[in-house]
């Protein structure tokens, strides 16, 4: 097994629940209109050096517009929770926006292959890395959401993943079994794309929630992009569907098709062609050009979507989502 | 009826899933195996995906373990904590994991290639859910190509626990008792794990494959079952369902 060095075992975020309570004590409970633009949200709520967590699952229900804007505003030295991070990691790696990362899953885009740009930042030591697992990061969010300093779990034990991680082992006071004490993870900023939100930030998500209920509660500031802004009454008519309550949320931005090129359940499927174009540009050393065209050279997400085929493309992806075949070629 | 090695591997994996059990799968071959099992020997198999999809009626092969297909007409569209906690509670029977390297104890690497963690030759994705699932599900299976670079003497990094260093090591590390690697299904053979030594033990070689072929493509010393058999090839029914219903676009079976 590998030798661990002194740089291993970093905790990028303080798990102290009392420090977090002091922050949350002062966090506004005003139910006010929080609608703003993506530009404003990133300018005001994401600062150089912040630790961020991204909702969704890599290329499913991701807040693409905010990720692009972080790159466009050239935010630097971010910490990243690499929880199921695929296309989101790829975007932020392309902008060289982060320099430390809690890794559960990065670099890859599942069956689509590895991102050369993501590989580069990790292989060249541009990012300080600590190893975790998907469940470990999910439970670290959960510990933070619960307001406790750690949560015990039975994963990671005995492996190199543990050696290059930063949790401590504990003995259970009741059963005497060994446990991984996973430290609470309180991100500075959580960024989540949802199906519906009112102007106050009461949010509903259809389909799987992944870890977003906990990310929204664990994060000190939360930016929501939503497929649709809905009247406040719509939320009250189906309160059992509310996943994120307004008091967690700092900014709400209506971004239709906002998970593109990712999949948005019950709305549109992922654009595999565009994701492949991105991977190919990386592989062929054309990433700078690609970023210039799609991110730095565009004003906002609407312009990006237009470049990628606009409503016509989205219509195709909607048909794919609903398994309607034979309409497009 | 002729078949390719991927089809054989998927059929073998499917037969290893008991009816009325629960399995967590990813995309690709394991997902195809679970879908085939549901249409053949295990109609009441419940399939979970780690992002929260529980018991979908898969309309087609998902691209991601979190995409819409993974909860199409599902029992529940839940969350990652819900799936992982169900595994930790002891209610999930099987899982499949993948990686770049596997050793004789079934330890798997999906983190780095190279000897220096801080300057790896290749940075791979990391654990994802693999470490969690292989720590918590009762029986872990691996489907892999059988080459010396994949079946290695020593993993560059142990991402996911097999039997670690041998008998008793999982329990000593704190992992739940009674869990661990169950089968390794390669394109040359099917292996289990020896009860006494926890080392990989070949149970059957695929039709047309010799013991020497297997040995030459493995970087560590394999154990051999006393009753070494020949893997039962896919039957017509399995192939028909696999080709027509499970993977009609040949996304997976076309890779062989």
């Amino acid at each position: 097994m590998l030798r661990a060095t002194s740089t291993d075992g970093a905790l990028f975020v303080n798990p102290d629940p009392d420090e977090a309570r002091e922050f949350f004590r002062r966090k506004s409970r005003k139910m006010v209109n929080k609608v703003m633009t993506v530009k404003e949200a990133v300018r005001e709520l994401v600062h150089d050096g912040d630790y961020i967590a991204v909702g969704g699952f890599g290329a499913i229900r991701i807040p693409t517009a905010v990720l692009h804007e972080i790159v466009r505003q050239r935010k630097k030295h971010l910490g990243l929770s690499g929880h199921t991070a695929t296309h989101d990691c790829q975007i932020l790696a392309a902008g060289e926006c982060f320099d430390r990362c809690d890794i559960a899953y990065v670099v890859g885009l599942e069956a689509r292959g590895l991102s050369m740009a993501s590989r580069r930042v990790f292989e060249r030591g541009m990012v300080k890395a600590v190893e975790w697992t998907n469940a470990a990061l999910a439970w670290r969010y959960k510990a933070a959401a619960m307001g406790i300093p750690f949560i015990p779990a039975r994963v990671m034990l005995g492996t190199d993943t543990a050696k290059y991680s930063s949790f401590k082992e504990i003995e259970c006071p009741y059963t005497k079994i060994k446990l991984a004490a996973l430290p609470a993870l309180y991100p500075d900023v959580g960024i989540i794309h949802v199906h519906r939100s009112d102007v106050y930030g009461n949010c509903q998500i259809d389909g799987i929630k992944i870890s977003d209920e906990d990310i929204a509660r664990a994060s000190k500031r939360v930016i929501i992009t939503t497929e649709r802004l809905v009247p406040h009454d719509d939320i009250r008519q189906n309160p059992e569907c509310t996943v994120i309550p307004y008091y967690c949320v700092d900014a709400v931005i209506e971004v239709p098709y906002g998970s593109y090129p990712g999949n948005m359940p019950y709305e549109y499927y992922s654009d595999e062609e565009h994701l492949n174009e991105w991977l190919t540009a990386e592989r062929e050393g054309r990433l700078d050009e690609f970023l210039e065209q799609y991110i730095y050279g565009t004003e906002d997400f609407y312009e990006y979507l237009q470049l990628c085929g606009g409503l016509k493309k989205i219509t195709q992806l909607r048909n794919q989502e609903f398994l309607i075949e034979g309409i497009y070629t | 009826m002729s078949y390719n090695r991927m089809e054989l591997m998927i059929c073998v994996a499917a037969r290893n899933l008991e009816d009325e059990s629960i399995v967590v799968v990813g995309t690709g071959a394991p997902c195809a195996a679970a879908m085939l099992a549901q249409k053949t020997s295990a109609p009441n198999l419940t399939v979970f995906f780690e992002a929260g999809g529980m018991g979908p009626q898969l309309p087609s092969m998902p691209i991601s373990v979190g995409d819409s297909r993974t909860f199409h007409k599902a029992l529940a569209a839940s969350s990652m904590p819900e799936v992982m906690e169900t595994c930790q509670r002891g209610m999930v029977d099987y899982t499949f994991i993948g990686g770049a390297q596997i050793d004789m104890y079934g330890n798997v690497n999906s983190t780095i290639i190279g000897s220096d963690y801080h300057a790896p030759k290749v940075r791979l994705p990391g654990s994802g859910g693999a470490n969690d699932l292989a720590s918590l599900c009762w029986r872990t299976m691996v489907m892999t190509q059988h080459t010396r670079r994949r079946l290695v003497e020593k993993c560059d990094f142990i991402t996911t626990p097999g039997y670690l260093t041998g008998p008793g090591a999982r329990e000593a590390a704190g992992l739940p008792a009674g869990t661990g690697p169950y089968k390794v299904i390669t394109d040359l053979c099917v292996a289990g794990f020896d009860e006494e030594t926890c080392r990989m033990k070949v149970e059957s070689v695929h039709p047309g494959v010799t013991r020497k072929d297997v040995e030459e493509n493995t970087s560590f010393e394999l154990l051999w079952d006393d009753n070494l058999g020949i893997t039962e090839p896919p039957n017509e029914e399995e192939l028909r369902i696999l080709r027509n219903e499970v993977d009609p676009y040949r996304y997976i079976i076309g890779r062989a």
Side-chain angles (χ1 to χ4, degrees):
Chain A
M1 292 204 209
L2 291 163
R3 186 177 54 91
T5 68
S6 57
T7 56
D8 298 308
L11 268 188
F12 298 132
V13 175
N14 188 349
D16 182 352
D18 286 320
E19 191 196 282
R21 282 178 61 87
E22 276 307 311
F23 181 90
F24 288 124
R25 180 181 203 169
R26 291 191 309 271
K27 183 163 175 149
S28 169
R29 282 86 154 138
K30 278 187 204 155
M31 202 154 80
V32 293
N33 185 333
K34 294 166 189 168
V35 174
M36 56 178 89
T37 65
V38 172
K39 272 190 179 26
E40 287 165 343
V42 171
R43 200 168 49 226
E44 288 166 25
L45 297 169
V46 183
H47 314 121
D48 285 353
D50 277 352
Y51 186 100
I52 66 169
V54 182
F57 195 93
I60 293 110
R61 205 168 45 67
I62 50 167
T64 310
V66 174
L67 298 171
H68 281 195
E69 190 58 27
I70 287 173
V71 172
R72 207 178 277 120
Q73 291 190 18
R74 298 181 195 270
K75 299 287 178 184
K76 295 291 173 193
H77 308 298
L78 299 178
L80 175 67
S81 172
H83 178 245
T84 70
T86 69
H87 186 53
D88 43 359
C89 175
Q90 184 180 28
I91 294 168
L92 296 171
E96 296 180 12
C97 299
F98 61 98
D99 60 12
R100 58 201 191 284
C101 185
D102 284 311
I103 297 178
Y105 187 102
V106 293
V107 170
L109 275 90
E110 299 186 76
R112 305 173 187 98
L114 300 180
S115 153
M116 292 302 285
S118 297
R119 272 183 60 184
R120 185 174 146 265
V121 303
F122 288 98
E123 290 168 8
R124 296 199 185 163
M126 296 157 75
V127 172
K128 195 169 163 188
V130 178
E131 300 294 320
W132 302 90
T133 65
N134 275 349
L137 289 186
W139 287 329
R140 290 186 65 193
Y141 294 139
K142 178 175 266 197
M146 290 172 72
I148 53 175
F150 72 90
I151 195 164
R154 309 185 77 182
V155 298
M156 298 178 75
L157 299 160
T159 58
D160 287 326
T161 307
K163 225 176 256 183
Y164 286 83
S165 186
S166 57
F167 70 87
K168 294 189 190 323
E169 276 182 25
I170 54 166
E171 187 189 270
C172 169
Y174 302 103
T175 63
K176 307 295 174 202
I177 63 172
K178 262 189 210 171
L179 295 163
L182 304 172
L185 176 53
Y186 292 97
D188 294 309
V189 191
I191 309 162
I192 299 171
H193 187 64
V194 303
H195 288 80
R196 290 176 296 286
S197 173
D198 65 12
V199 297
Y200 310 119
N202 293 298
C203 302
Q204 300 182 342
I205 294 172
D206 300 333
I208 54 171
K209 311 292 180 284
I210 306 140
S211 287
D212 295 0
E213 294 161 288
D214 292 323
I215 291 175
R217 287 156 179 79
S219 299
K220 292 183 172 168
R221 298 186 292 281
V222 173
I223 299 173
I224 296 292
T225 61
T226 178
E227 286 288 320
R228 287 174 194 78
L229 269 178
V230 296
H232 179 60
D233 262 9
D234 281 17
I235 299 291
R236 291 195 181 270
Q237 264 163 29
N238 297 290
E240 68 280 2
C241 298
T242 301
V243 175
I244 301 169
Y246 77 95
Y247 51 81
C248 293
V249 174
D250 298 86
V252 179
I253 310 115
E254 185 174 33
V255 186
Y257 316 117
S259 178
Y260 177 90
N263 172 210
M264 188 67 178
Y266 310 115
E267 295 284 341
Y268 43 90
Y269 205 57
S270 50
D271 185 357
E272 293 304 314
E273 220 175 305
H274 183 68
L275 288 169
N276 191 45
E277 198 189 329
W278 193 304
L279 284 170
T280 307
E282 291 179 346
R283 219 167 21 240
E284 294 176 351
R286 294 186 285 104
L287 181 62
D288 287 346
E289 205 181 300
F290 184 89
L291 291 178
E292 194 50 48
Q293 182 185 1
Y294 286 110
I295 297 186
Y296 295 119
T298 53
E299 180 58 26
D300 55 23
F301 184 77
Y302 289 100
E303 212 178 311
Y304 166 72
L305 199 60
Q306 213 51 47
L307 268 181
C308 294
L311 209 49
K312 187 176 175 192
K313 168 64 82 176
I314 288 292
T315 306
Q316 292 173 357
L317 299 174
R318 287 184 71 87
N319 289 339
Q320 272 186 45
E321 174 66 11
F322 292 108
L323 301 161
I324 300 165
E325 286 177 24
I327 292 176
Y328 56 91
T329 51
Chain B
M1 206 166 176
S2 69
Y3 55 87
N4 67 36
R5 287 181 175 186
M6 183 57 85
E7 291 172 327
L8 173 63
M9 287 166 71
I10 292 169
C11 291
V12 170
R15 291 176 205 148
N16 271 290
L17 295 167
E18 239 176 292
D19 198 16
E20 293 174 339
S21 64
I22 300 178
V23 60
V24 181
V25 301
T27 53
C31 182
M35 288 166 77
L36 178 62
Q38 286 180 321
K39 291 169 191 289
T40 53
S41 52
N44 301 304
L45 174 72
T46 296
V47 178
F48 285 1
F49 291 87
E50 65 173 69
M54 299 176 116
Q57 292 174 345
L58 289 159
S60 61
M61 208 62 81
I63 293 173
S64 159
V65 297
D67 80 30
S68 321
R69 312 302 186 228
T70 65
F71 50 96
H72 180 82
K73 296 186 177 173
L75 301 171
S78 68
S79 66
M80 179 175 282
E82 169 68 11
V83 172
M84 293 299 191
E85 287 158 21
T86 305
C87 295
Q88 190 163 251
R89 207 158 64 238
M91 285 211 73
V92 178
D93 305 285
Y94 302 99
T95 192
F96 287 93
I97 60 157
Q101 298 174 326
I102 181 168
D103 68 17
M104 69 166 87
Y105 294 114
N107 301 305
V108 172
N109 174 21
S110 60
T111 301
I112 56 158
I113 299 297
S115 54
D116 183 356
Y117 173 80
H118 299 285
K121 263 190 255 170
V122 183
R123 172 70 218 198
L124 300 169
S127 161
N131 176 297
D132 310 311
L133 298 169
S135 294
L136 303 174
C137 298
W138 291 108
R139 292 170 158 181
T140 298
M141 292 195 260
V142 174
M143 296 172 81
T144 177
Q145 276 183 314
H146 201 133
T147 65
R148 293 182 72 86
R149 284 173 60 184
R150 286 186 175 268
L151 280 82
V152 296
E153 182 76 45
K154 189 172 165 288
C155 289
D156 289 351
F157 190 101
I158 295 181
T159 310
T160 295
Y163 290 106
L164 297 171
T165 54
R170 278 178 76 93
E171 292 77 1
L175 295 169
T179 56
Y182 175 57
K183 301 282 180 202
V184 177
I185 300 158
T186 79
D187 53 354
L188 298 181
C189 69
V190 181
F193 288 83
D194 182 58
E195 267 183 40
E196 221 164 285
T197 62
C198 291
R199 283 173 52 186
M200 205 182 291
K201 180 155 93 178
V202 182
E203 294 171 348
S204 72
V205 292
H206 298 339
V209 175
T210 65
R211 184 168 163 156
K212 192 158 163 262
D213 294 332
V214 175
E215 277 168 343
E216 280 176 352
N217 287 289
T218 309
S219 293
F220 56 84
E221 194 197 340
L222 285 160
L223 301 179
W224 294 83
D225 198 294
D226 291 339
N227 301 310
L228 182 68
I230 293 175
T231 312
E232 178 77 25
N235 62 40
E236 268 182 47
E237 174 78 351
E238 286 170 328
L239 286 174
R240 186 185 58 76
I241 294 170
L242 181 56
R243 290 169 186 174
N244 298 341
E245 296 175 30
V246 173
D247 189 18
Y249 298 105
R250 303 183 60 78
Y251 293 130
I252 314 300
I253 58 180
R255 280 188 212 155

